[in-house]
Amino acid sequence: GFVHFFHDQGTTVKEDWAFIPAELLTRAIGLMVDKEVSQHPYGMDSTATLFNIDKSPQQQKIAVMGMRRGGKSYYAFDITSPTAPTLLWKISKSDSQFTELGQTWSKPKAGWLNVSGKTLPVFIFGGGYDVNKDTCSGSTACLDSEGRGIFIVNALNGQKIWSNNATCNAGDLHCLQHSIASDVATLDSNSDGIIDRLYSGDTGGNVWRVDLKGGDPTLWSTIKLAQLSDDKVKGDRRVFTTPTITRSLIQTVTKIKEQYQVYDQAVDMVLVGTGNRAKPASDTANQDAFVMIKDTYILPTLFGQGKIDKPTPIAYSDLFNITDNPIQSSTDLMLTRSNLSAHSGWRYEFKGAGEKSLGGALALAGTVYFTSFSPNAISNLQCGIGDMGQGKLYAVNLIDGTNAH
């Protein structure tokens, strides 16, 4: 259950220090007493985020880490002097401003925000994982009671700046009802060094967009960009991976009578896969997928509150199905491309039994690369080395999903 800090000495590494929270000591002692315990006792179960704060008068290096299955807290260390760290701050579910926290699966993202006229270093993370999802199924019947939101805190002291976990009406299409265990994708849309937009998925299969326009956090807005899950038998799609955001011009084809109109459209492409990371081997009942969602609001935008109306979330069926490569096999290419353009993006449905997305995507030179995992139906799920399943790498055209290789 420890966090270990190693120092690179060129040809070898040296452990300088280790840390275990007081809240985990009883688990560590219990493991010493009973090494054959049947239920695995989790400790610090995540990876640290490092932030080199170089805009302040005195440079400071901060490492922050969650606990994943180990608990519901975040710990931040000042490691400006690497061999003499100090605990900078801690936030946990027991704190009055963070009672929504679930298990802290979301690895914080570091960056800068304009807040009330000041440029502040911040950490941004999802509300965490609700273990309710370990035993329930169905996107509408499996609602959570914690982890439902995104938090932004001051990197220097852990004070909350903003969160979107406000109470909402269940009938509201943009109501957050599922935990956010994934990392949050950040976007600086005008390249000024300030984060102005966020994207994240939740364990109910929804993709969220947050706009941080202006320096007043009370005006920042949240919309449900897409809903990838549905009530079908295999429709319990969950998002545990970080969306990849790519900005591009795409060629849009529109059929008018017997003619086709072709023009370029600026969009932000949101690329993400679905799959139950909490049960990578045993969850084989769902039809998971990798999707590209077209976000046409390419500038920071404030939705609701008398501003621009919140758009209707994009449904899974609104995404063009590229699974059988319809563009390359088409006998009427322009007609097929116009059909693609009429959709809000595309989806590739994994074909293997239990095949799912467990990692992020990479967009490079017009191609998106993403991976999948297919569990072995007869694998031994106990500890040990065995054939747990098969991994695949996909490479498809970013815009139309055609095979790139």
Side-chain angles (χ1 to χ4, degrees), residues 29-320:
I29 294 172
L31 188 59
M32 291 176 61
V33 174
D34 183 5
K35 295 181 181 180
E36 303 300 324
V37 60
S38 59
Q39 188 71 27
H40 178 71
Y42 286 91
M44 295 296 286
D45 191 34
S46 187
T47 304
T49 296
L50 304 180
F51 194 179
N52 182 19
I53 300 177
D54 54 5
K55 293 184 181 181
S56 57
Q58 181 178 358
Q59 289 197 359
Q60 189 173 10
K61 294 179 174 62
I62 298 175
V64 63
M65 62 205 73
M67 303 178 71
R68 202 170 176 272
R69 286 284 191 184
K72 301 177 181 181
S73 301
Y74 281 100
Y75 291 86
F77 295 87
D78 185 334
I79 57 169
T80 307
S81 298
T83 58
T86 58
L87 180 61
L88 193 60
W89 48 262
K90 170 195 174 184
I91 60 176
S92 68
K93 186 178 179 64
S94 61
D95 298 333
S96 60
Q97 292 189 316
F98 297 96
T99 56
E100 184 65 29
L101 281 182
Q103 289 183 342
T104 48
W105 287 40
S106 182
K107 182 181 176 184
K109 289 292 182 70
W112 297 86
L113 275 183
N114 284 331
V115 182
S116 303
K118 298 180 180 179
T119 301
L120 299 179
V122 299
F123 287 116
I124 303 170
F125 50 87
Y129 181 66
D130 188 336
V131 295
N132 167 60
K133 284 291 197 301
D134 283 345
T135 55
C136 70
S137 61
S139 60
T140 56
C142 190
L143 304 181
D144 293 329
S145 60
E146 62 182 13
R148 302 161 298 180
I150 294 173
F151 289 84
I152 302 176
V153 302
N154 188 314
L156 300 175
N157 54 30
Q159 292 296 311
K160 189 178 85 168
I161 294 173
W162 177 89
S163 69
N164 60 355
N165 62 308
T167 302
C168 55
N169 187 332
D172 180 1
L173 292 177
H174 301 274
C175 181
L176 261 162
Q177 297 178 290
H178 298 273
S179 55
I180 296 181
S182 67
D183 302 351
V184 179
T186 61
L187 180 64
D188 172 11
S189 64
N190 57 3
S191 301
D192 64 352
I194 303 298
I195 297 169
D196 53 40
R197 202 184 312 166
L198 311 174
Y199 291 91
S200 186
D202 69 26
T203 56
N206 304 299
V207 178
W208 298 90
R209 165 177 167 154
V210 175
D211 284 85
L212 311 174
K213 183 179 180 181
D216 184 357
T218 64
L219 298 179
W220 295 346
S221 63
T222 301
I223 64 168
K224 183 190 293 185
L225 179 65
Q227 181 174 326
L228 304 180
S229 58
D230 53 49
D231 290 327
K232 296 180 180 179
V233 175
K234 296 185 177 183
D236 186 11
R237 303 178 187 91
R238 307 183 182 190
V239 180
F240 281 83
T241 59
T242 313
T244 296
I245 315 302
T246 301
R247 319 197 79 191
S248 181
L249 289 174
I250 64 172
Q251 190 179 76
T252 298
V253 180
T254 304
K255 186 176 183 180
I256 302 176
K257 294 183 179 180
E258 298 303 318
Q259 302 294 321
Y260 290 96
Q261 183 181 24
V262 181
Y263 59 94
D264 288 333
Q265 180 184 18
V267 300
D268 292 329
M269 302 182 196
V270 183
L271 302 152
V272 70
T274 70
N276 190 350
R277 191 181 182 93
K279 294 183 177 181
S282 60
D283 188 347
T284 60
N286 292 301
Q287 174 59 75
D288 285 304
F290 185 88
V291 306
M292 183 277 280
I293 302 164
K294 294 187 292 188
D295 188 354
T296 57
Y297 289 92
I298 63 172
L299 298 176
T301 305
L302 295 181
F303 296 94
Q305 306 180 64
K307 308 294 182 181
I308 294 177
D309 290 341
K310 294 185 177 183
T312 301
I314 295 166
Y316 185 71
S317 57
D318 294 332
L319 304 175
F320 186 70

Side-chain angles (χ1 to χ4, degrees), residues 372-395:
S372 74
F373 171 74
S374 299
N376 185 344
I378 58 173
S379 64
N380 184 346
L381 300 183
Q382 301 300 315
C383 292
I385 299 174
D387 181 9
M388 295 300 294
Q390 182 182 53
K392 293 181 181 179
L393 172 64
Y394 294 86

